[in-house]
Amino acid sequence: MTLTQLKYIIAIADTGSMNEAAKSLFISQPSLSLAVKELEKEIGTELFKRSNRGVSVTQEGIEFLGYARQVVEQYQLMESRYIEKKNIKKKFGVSMQHYTFAVNAFVEMVKQFGMDEYEFAVRETKTYEVIKDVKDFHSEIGILYLNEFNKKVLSKMLQESGLEFHPLLECGIYVYMWKGHPLAGKEEISIEELEEYPCLSFEQGEYNSFYFAEEVLSTYEYKRLIKANDRATMLNLMVGLNGYTLCSGIICESLNGDDYCAVKLKSDEVMTIGYIKRKGVAISPVGEKYLEEIKKYKAMGDDSGYKDIL
């Protein structure tokens, strides 16, 4: 296996065509096809499906390409730094379910590392996409939760994707709403008291299974339910329709403002928020710093009598 072969398969995947890839690499198509076949034979894995419409990457190829891109990017960094004497920015990305604490931790991490040496990416997205981003090396770390309901399904998916889950903190369940909501002044709220108000849930798109829901009690038969696809819309619906969502307890007012509150839900449900990473791949220094910033919220929760955060 050579670096040149890795560059070849990346070009094919990016163009979706042997002919176009050969043109971009300035080699003949037969030479490119032979190089790919030799690589596939060496690793014992078919990387591409060929057809009259071009080529497509196999499932095994998607995983191999993730590693290949990482190797080629690292080589390009070394080449630019030590041969071309250029300062190329390192990359760090994190994908997450819609947690303000995870965004705030990202902000604090960026402040400490600065943006002169790094190119950062933060993706608030659907549960399936969080897993896929880390699997495909688009993000180094993913933030999501497991509980008794979704643990078996998501753990199996993580294992099949070559990922592992590491818990960060355990959370009880809170009702998140605006401070003008009729129930906002209560110390504790039952699910029955919420019946006449719309429950707000993050849309999961094509993978809209109960197991991929970002909110606990996803199988509960809500009388009123509204799906939203971003946090700003959800906050507006809380104010305009007295909507609510189910979450954890410490609020990041610096991002959401001080017009919202979290009230304990009468429930024994527990969710474990943690991070996912690729098995066998070490966390980078910037990734370690990001996780360090997240863990500070757990300390804040312990000091205030809560174990949970939003």
Side-chain angles (χ1 to χ4, degrees):
M1 184 188 311
T2 67
L3 187 64
T4 298
Q5 287 175 313
L6 299 184
K7 291 179 177 179
Y8 284 177
I9 65 167
I10 291 172
I12 295 168
D14 288 345
T15 60
S17 163
M18 283 283 188
N19 188 43
E20 291 302 317
K23 288 180 181 178
S24 69
L25 294 165
F26 301 103
I27 62 172
S28 68
Q29 184 172 330
S31 296
L32 178 60
S33 297
L34 179 61
V36 173
K37 288 179 181 178
E38 288 177 348
L39 177 60
E40 290 178 323
K41 182 179 179 180
E42 180 183 354
I43 64 177
T45 300
E46 185 181 34
L47 300 175
F48 300 100
K49 289 286 186 184
R50 286 83 167 171
S51 70
N52 293 333
R53 293 176 293 179
V55 296
S56 59
V57 186
T58 64
Q59 281 300 317
E60 294 82 2
I62 290 173
E63 182 175 5
F64 186 86
L65 273 162
Y67 286 107
R69 291 184 192 278
Q70 191 177 48
V71 170
V72 172
E73 286 173 4
Q74 290 298 317
Y75 174 79
Q76 290 172 340
L77 283 172
M78 293 178 65
E79 186 178 51
S80 299
R81 177 80 178 245
Y82 296 105
I83 298 177
E84 299 175 7
K85 306 300 181 183
K86 293 180 180 178
N87 289 320
I88 301 298
K89 289 186 176 182
K90 305 170 189 176
K91 295 183 179 181
F92 173 76
V94 58
S95 296
M96 62 189 70
Q97 293 174 323
H98 296 79
Y99 298 123
T100 52
F101 82 91
V103 177
N104 205 47
F106 183 87
V107 170
E108 295 304 317
M109 177 271 296
V110 170
K111 286 180 180 177
Q112 294 177 54
F113 272 81
M115 290 179 279
D116 292 336
E117 294 184 19
Y118 283 88
E119 179 181 312
F120 294 107
V122 58
R123 305 174 180 94
E124 270 193 329
T125 187
K126 304 173 180 66
T127 303
Y128 179 85
E129 295 299 327
V130 172
I131 296 172
K132 189 174 186 299
D133 283 350
V134 180
K135 175 186 175 184
D136 295 344
F137 291 93
H138 294 147
S139 289
E140 180 178 327
I141 292 171
I143 305 294
L144 47 72
Y145 87 92
L146 298 181
N147 68 351
E148 285 302 317
F149 176 71
N150 70 9
K151 186 175 182 179
K152 188 174 182 179
V153 172
L154 292 191
S155 293
K156 183 175 184 293
M157 185 177 178
L158 293 175
Q159 184 177 11
E160 292 174 348
S161 300
L163 308 178
E164 54 191 22
F165 177 85
H166 296 266
L168 289 168
L169 60 155
E170 287 191 345
C171 308
I173 311 305
Y174 284 74
V175 183
Y176 192 58
M177 59 182 66
W178 79 298
K179 289 180 178 178
H181 193 286
L183 302 177
K186 297 179 67 72
E187 290 187 6
E188 200 171 46
I189 300 174
S190 68
I191 194 71
E192 290 77 20
E193 290 177 284
L194 293 165
E195 191 175 59
E196 298 304 316
Y197 304 100
C199 177
L200 309 175
S201 175
F202 282 109
E203 175 66 51
Q204 295 298 317
E206 181 182 350
Y207 299 90
N208 206 25
S209 160
F210 290 133
Y211 298 108
F212 289 98
E214 294 186 43
E215 305 80 19
V216 294
L217 305 181
S218 58
T219 57
Y220 183 80
E221 291 292 333
Y222 293 97
K223 184 177 179 180
R224 294 176 170 85
L225 180 67
I226 298 177
K227 298 282 187 178
N229 60 11
D230 66 78
R231 186 150 38 93
T233 298
M234 192 166 283
L235 294 176
N236 289 335
L237 292 173
M238 287 180 187
V239 176
L241 297 175
N242 279 329
Y244 70 92
T245 190
L246 300 179
C247 65
S248 45
I250 296 176
I251 303 170
C252 293
E253 291 186 353
S254 59
L255 294 182
N256 279 359
D258 59 1
D259 295 328
Y260 305 89
C261 64
V263 181
K264 185 73 175 70
L265 180 72
K266 291 179 182 178
S267 172
D268 295 328
E269 286 278 341
V270 175
M271 55 195 288
T272 301
I273 295 177
Y275 69 93
I276 59 173
K277 62 178 281 293
R278 289 204 62 89
K279 291 180 181 177
V281 178
I283 301 259
S284 66
V286 67
E288 292 287 1
K289 174 56 68 174
Y290 175 67
L291 295 176
E292 186 180 308
E293 288 298 322
I294 289 182
K295 290 172 184 177
K296 289 180 181 179
Y297 287 89
K298 183 180 187 302
M300 288 171 58
D302 293 340
D303 291 341
S304 63
Y306 296 104
K307 289 181 66 180
D308 28 12
I309 63 182
L310 170 67

